[in-house]
Structure formats: structure tokens, C-alpha cells
Amino acid sequence: MGLAHPWMLALAALPVFAWFLLPERKESGAVRVPESVRTFLAHQSGHAVKPRAMRPGELTAKIVGWLALIVALAGPFLKLPAVLTPTGRDIIVAFDLSASMAEEDMVVDGRKLARIDVIRESLGAFIRGRKGDRIALVGFATEAFLIAPLTFDVIAVSEMLDEVTIGLPGRKTDLGQAIGLAVKVLQEEKPGERLLILVSDGEVNAGQLSATDAAGLARDLDIGIFAIGFAE
């Protein structure tokens, strides 16, 4: 815990100094009532004229309010350690969204699942565990598009992974375009450890830029590629 303006705490004693140093202010009103009239009115009402007494708790409330104001002016703040330590590593996860990824030919724990469901489960866990890395998400099929830009918010990226659907960027598979998009994003970043994780069933059937040529561009820019392919 710290204070942005600790010197403001000195003002807490200001009311005490004012009480002892300032002269007592005489009561005054808009209309001066003669003492005889005040006595007559008090006699008629059956109540003696007494000076107003402070109600119970009123002084305490004033003290607490004043101290709360002083603390607020001092600017308290909480010193917390860094949420994470950046690793300097940029990772793009590109995954296949072509029609073949909807095939239910994967068995996990006795359950028959579609390929895309297996990807979501495994990649989601991988992304959430990348503390300090910047992660981006690319989906590809006939076309490739950037789902999430490079960010430290790995939770948000993993949630976006759960929302994409098969066939959104087309029905076929173009690995070359997916690699090309990743290269375009990473080449604009500062030199460092730049990686592309490419997940697909490997059935390339679209595109003018071959995966081999695109991989060559990545190699020239010192971008590492880890390809994960699977099929029935």
C-alpha cells in the first residue's frame, strides 16, 4: 500500500488548530430578537431557551468524514507485483476449418468426436498455458483470416477458439495462404522468437501459393514452423 500525496495527511490536524487558534464566532441572525421577546416566547411554549446541543454520534461522524476526505486526497494505491513476465515469444496458432475437419473419426476416452472438437480441447489447453507469450489465432480453409491478433490475453484467445465454426472461411484447405498470413503478421513484429503452430488434416486442395514456398518465406525471416497433422 502506498500514497501518491502523503503530505496531505498533515491536513488531518487542521480542525484542531482552527478550534484553538481562531476566535469564537458570535451567533448572528438576519433579524435580531430582543432578549425579552425570546423569554416571553419561551414562557408561552413552556420550554426554556437552551443552546443547541450536539446530537449523539454527530461529532464522531464529522471526524470520520474529515479523515476519509484526507485519506482520499492523499491518493492511496495498492502496489502489486507484475501480473506476468513477458518472454519475448510471439506464437501464431493456425488451425484448419475446412469441411474435412467436421468428420467424426476421432475417439477420445471412448467418445467419438469430430476432428475440430479434439483441436479445440487440446489447443485451448495449450493456449491457456502460454503465460508471458503473445498469442494470435488464425483460421483457414479456402481463405485464411486473423481471428485474434497477438496478445498476452491467452484466456480471450482460447475463448475465441471455441466460437469459430467449420466452413466459415470456405470448404477446402489452403496451407500456403495460412502460412503466408502468419508470415505477414510476424514479419511486422520486432525480431525475436517467432513461431507458427500449424494444425491441419493435411489434405491440401486449394491455393496458388504452395505450402513449401510459403515455408521458405518463413525460413528466410527466421520464423519457426511446427506442423501438427492428423487423420483417421
Side-chain angles (χ1 to χ4, degrees):
M1 178 70 73
L3 296 174
H5 310 291
W7 53 269
M8 293 294 295
L9 296 179
L11 297 178
L14 187 60
V16 177
F17 288 106
W19 178 270
F20 288 103
L21 298 179
L22 295 180
E24 183 179 359
R25 189 186 67 174
K26 296 182 179 180
E27 294 184 3
S28 61
V31 179
R32 298 183 63 85
V33 180
E35 186 65 26
S36 58
V37 176
R38 293 181 61 193
T39 303
F40 174 76
L41 293 176
H43 178 74
Q44 292 295 322
S45 62
H47 298 284
V49 178
K50 298 180 180 179
R52 178 182 176 275
M54 188 172 293
R55 287 174 288 184
E58 186 174 350
L59 178 60
T60 301
K62 290 181 177 180
I63 293 174
V64 172
W66 174 253
L67 293 179
L69 175 62
I70 294 301
V71 172
L73 292 175
F77 62 91
L78 190 61
K79 296 179 180 178
L80 296 175
V83 177
L84 54 84
T85 301
T87 63
R89 185 184 301 114
D90 292 335
I91 302 175
I92 292 183
V93 177
F95 63 103
D96 197 340
L97 290 174
S98 61
S100 60
M101 298 299 290
E103 295 184 16
E104 296 183 354
D105 54 7
M106 310 298 292
V107 178
V108 178
D109 297 331
R111 298 177 300 160
K112 196 169 184 179
L113 300 175
R115 299 177 183 180
I116 186 64
D117 294 329
V118 176
I119 287 179
R120 285 196 179 106
E121 185 174 344
S122 57
L123 282 185
F126 170 80
I127 292 173
R128 289 189 295 271
R130 304 278 62 79
K131 305 300 182 183
D133 295 341
R134 288 203 307 169
I135 303 292
L137 202 59
V138 167
F140 69 93
T142 307
E143 303 291 338
F145 64 100
L146 187 64
I147 300 173
L150 286 166
T151 177
F152 290 109
D153 192 350
V154 295
I155 301 300
V157 175
S158 66
E159 291 175 351
M160 291 181 184
L161 179 66
D162 295 332
E163 297 176 0
V164 295
T165 57
I166 293 292
L168 183 62
R171 309 292 292 178
K172 298 183 179 182
T173 302
D174 185 355
L175 291 180
Q177 188 173 170
I179 298 173
L181 176 58
V183 169
K184 181 179 180 181
V185 172
L186 290 174
Q187 72 178 356
E188 297 176 356
E189 302 301 323
K190 295 180 180 179
E193 191 173 2
R194 299 175 294 182
L195 304 172
L196 167 63
I197 298 177
L198 187 66
V199 183
S200 174
D201 57 13
E203 298 179 4
V204 181
N205 51 22
Q208 299 179 352
L209 177 63
S210 70
T212 302
D213 292 340
L217 295 175
R219 179 195 58 210
D220 295 340
L221 294 172
D222 198 25
I223 298 174
I225 299 179
F226 293 88
I228 302 175
F230 64 95
E232 183 180 5

